[in-house]
Amino acid sequence: MLKDKSLGPDGWTQEIFSHFFHLMGRDLLEALEESRIKGSVKGSLNETFVTLIPKTSNPEPFNDFRPIALCNFSYKVISKLIALRIKDKIALCISKEQFGFLRDRLIFDAIGLAQGSLHSAKSRKPKALFLKLDLKKAYDKVNWNFLRMMLIQVGLK
């Protein structure tokens, strides 16, 4: 865990746990073990504050802010442990077309794949559909019914 990170609802940072591990370590380990055995995180450990961080020095419209979730330190430790345990297996479950956020898969590879596909479509002239979405805005802006109907119309159900 990185030091000097934002506080969550519990108000505790990694530095507190590191400094006082001899006092609080056993309780933290018991909470971690309980979440592992039960397969869930206790209510109070699972609390998260969502706040807005300004992207610019003088933010005005809503787009000038980005949301950030401030989680309890114990929850961060539990999440990190789960992520470390599944990281080698998760790539086996995710399609080869997913490039971002996986080790050894770079988003730049997607650019090369897209360029190759466009080149093939230009030179061979097959029936093709290319759809580019701005994922930053796509979720809120896309008319999902329109997108679905368009995909059905071109034969992709």
Side-chain angles (χ1 to χ4, degrees):
M1 298 280 173
L2 298 175
K3 293 185 177 183
D4 197 29
K5 296 299 282 181
S6 300
L7 300 173
D10 58 6
W12 295 2
T13 62
Q14 183 267 350
E15 292 90 345
I16 293 172
F17 278 92
S18 294
H19 188 76
F20 294 106
F21 192 79
H22 61 285
L23 298 173
M24 355 169 62
R26 181 177 300 266
D27 292 331
L28 177 61
L29 293 174
E30 285 176 8
L32 297 175
E33 183 64 7
E34 181 181 332
S35 70
R36 185 188 69 79
I37 291 169
K38 290 187 175 180
S40 63
V41 180
K42 253 191 217 178
S44 62
L45 294 181
N46 203 11
E47 290 178 1
T48 301
F49 289 161
V50 177
T51 189
L52 297 174
I53 305 292
K55 294 180 188 177
T56 63
S57 58
N58 190 17
E60 288 189 24
F62 190 69
N63 288 346
D64 285 349
F65 294 90
R66 69 178 174 90
I68 185 171
L70 305 173
C71 306
N72 285 315
F73 179 77
S74 301
Y75 182 83
K76 290 178 188 179
V77 173
I78 292 167
S79 299
K80 185 73 165 183
L81 286 172
I82 292 170
L84 288 172
R85 292 186 83 170
I86 67 171
K87 77 177 183 177
D88 292 332
K89 304 288 184 202
I90 196 78
L92 302 173
C93 303
I94 297 176
S95 74
K96 302 268 188 261
E97 290 78 24
Q98 173 69 42
F99 290 98
F101 308 108
L102 291 173
R103 189 172 14 125
D104 300 327
R105 295 195 199 175
L106 303 174
I107 194 69
F108 298 113
D109 295 335
I111 295 168
L113 182 64
Q115 287 175 335
S117 299
L118 287 169
H119 177 73
S120 293
K122 282 183 177 179
S123 61
R124 296 183 189 159
K125 307 241 186 277
K127 288 185 179 180
L129 169 70
F130 291 92
L131 177 65
K132 180 198 170 282
L133 296 175
D134 181 351
L135 295 180
K136 178 180 173 186
K137 299 176 183 175
Y139 189 79
D140 293 331
K141 306 282 183 178
V142 169
N143 181 324
W144 293 104
N145 287 328
F146 170 78
L147 182 58
R148 182 174 180 271
M149 296 306 290
M150 184 183 73
L151 293 173
I152 289 171
Q153 183 67 31
V154 298
L156 299 172
K157 296 181 183 181

